[in-house]
Amino acid sequence: MAAPTEFKPVIVGFLCNWCCYGGADLAGVSRFQYPPHLRVIRLMCSGRVDLEFIFRAFAQKADGVFIGGCHLNECNYTTHGNFYALRMSHICRKLMELVGLNPARLNIEFISGGEGNRFAELVNNFSETIHGLGPIGTEEGLDAQSLHFQLEAATKLVPHIKLLERERFRVQFQTRQEYDQFFGSEEFDRLFRETIAEKLATAQIALLLEEKPLPTGDIAAALGLPPAAVSRHLNRSSRQGLVRYDPGQQCYTLA
Ligand code: FES
């Protein structure tokens, strides 16, 4: 009998060129050990990392995503891209939770070019976490099809979240603790429920209807939602001209 193959996690690392990438380089030159399965994507600033990049990485079977930026308040750009990355990663983790993915699969750290040792340590710790979680979807009980569906639905929400970020989540804190506190607060929970969680169901329904027209009961069964909740979403989408009811087939279809 063939021996079970050892799980080798795939981790995508989005690293800022001006700091964390230098840290990775220094770790290599100094021969600090870190896992070979980190696939590095070098960016000019951690603020360039988009929610969509992360979901795309997971859709391409990354088991974990690591974002490395300059220390807070030391970003090389006046836009303070690393604060943007921190805010985006908080929102992303919450969204991952909502679609059934373990949020521990995403990590963000701030590392200077002189911290090769620290870079290796943080990547090793993250790699161990991902190793413990196993292949993406497995720990979460999502088969390949469900994982793909949930990631597609989450990606559909990205433009909506970008608008919200500008209007509702644009907090101007100076420290990581303040960000962690706000994004861990009940206030953020409420905002997230009202503005994003509601939209996710609408995006999931649209994805199902892209396949074929469906009655309310089938949509509810596919999404594990009460039929009354699905009716509410369908009524709203119908008022917005996104779906329509076909009385002949007694089904909803995309408008
Ligand atoms: Fe490094 Fe912005 S330049 S995080």
Side-chain angles (χ1 to χ4, degrees):
M1 200 171 84
T5 48
E6 197 205 335
F7 169 50
K8 292 188 182 130
V10 174
I11 298 177
V12 173
F14 293 106
L15 309 186
C16 165
N17 178 61
W18 306 110
C19 48
C20 194
Y21 187 81
D25 210 24
L26 183 62
V29 171
S30 313
R31 298 184 188 275
F32 296 132
Q33 295 283 318
Y34 68 86
H37 38 254
L38 178 73
R39 314 235 170 124
V40 173
I41 297 175
R42 180 160 41 153
L43 302 160
M44 285 299 117
C45 177
S46 63
R48 181 67 186 90
V49 184
D50 194 278
L51 267 175
E52 205 174 333
F53 295 0
I54 299 173
F55 289 122
R56 211 185 298 157
F58 287 133
Q60 304 274 330
K61 296 276 180 288
D63 302 297
V65 171
F66 182 93
I67 303 170
C70 301
H71 281 286
L72 291 172
N73 293 312
E74 290 179 18
C75 174
N76 284 263
Y77 300 95
T78 50
T79 44
H80 302 290
N82 45 8
F83 276 113
Y84 168 79
L86 181 56
R87 185 174 66 220
M88 185 273 305
S89 61
H90 273 294
I91 296 171
C92 189
R93 280 202 204 101
K94 197 85 181 158
L95 191 52
M96 287 168 69
E97 235 178 300
L98 191 65
V99 298
L101 276 180
N102 192 320
R105 292 189 185 275
L106 172 66
N107 190 20
I108 181 165
E109 297 291 349
F110 304 100
I111 303 163
S112 78
E115 295 178 307
N117 201 356
R118 184 162 167 263
F119 174 84
E121 192 183 314
L122 290 170
V123 170
N124 278 322
N125 291 346
F126 184 54
S127 175
E128 263 174 42
T129 303
I130 299 300
H131 213 276
L133 291 179
I136 186 149
T138 305
E139 187 243 15
E140 291 92 343
L142 295 170
D143 59 27
Q145 200 184 355
S146 314
L147 179 66
H148 178 76
F149 178 81
Q150 295 293 29
L151 289 169
E152 280 260 302
T155 306
K156 271 186 179 283
L157 291 185
V158 172
H160 172 66
I161 293 174
K162 281 186 181 163
L163 272 180
L164 283 171
E165 269 191 291
R166 256 177 248 150
E167 293 166 6
R168 311 278 297 268
F169 301 145
R170 186 168 279 277
V171 278
Q172 295 291 351
F173 299 133
Q174 294 300 312
T175 65
R176 183 167 191 167
Q177 288 79 354
E178 285 171 307
Y179 269 76
D180 292 349
Q181 213 172 345
F182 172 75
F183 286 102
S185 70
E186 280 186 14
E187 185 192 349
F188 174 67
D189 257 9
R190 182 185 53 76
L191 266 175
F192 187 87
R193 266 197 317 275
E194 287 171 4
T195 56
I196 297 175
E198 279 284 301
K199 284 271 178 195
L200 180 70
T202 309
Q204 290 171 325
I205 291 170
L207 270 180
L208 286 176
L209 294 181
E210 268 175 27
E211 297 284 315
K212 56 179 179 185
L214 288 169
T216 308
D218 286 10
I219 298 172
L223 298 180
L225 289 174
V230 172
S231 284
R232 185 164 47 83
H233 290 297
L234 285 167
N235 285 338
R236 191 185 313 128
S237 299
S238 175
R239 280 198 303 276
Q240 292 170 345
L242 302 172
V243 302
R244 64 183 172 77
Y245 185 67
D246 179 344
Q249 289 193 72
Q250 299 194 332
C251 282
Y252 278 91
T253 177
L254 283 183

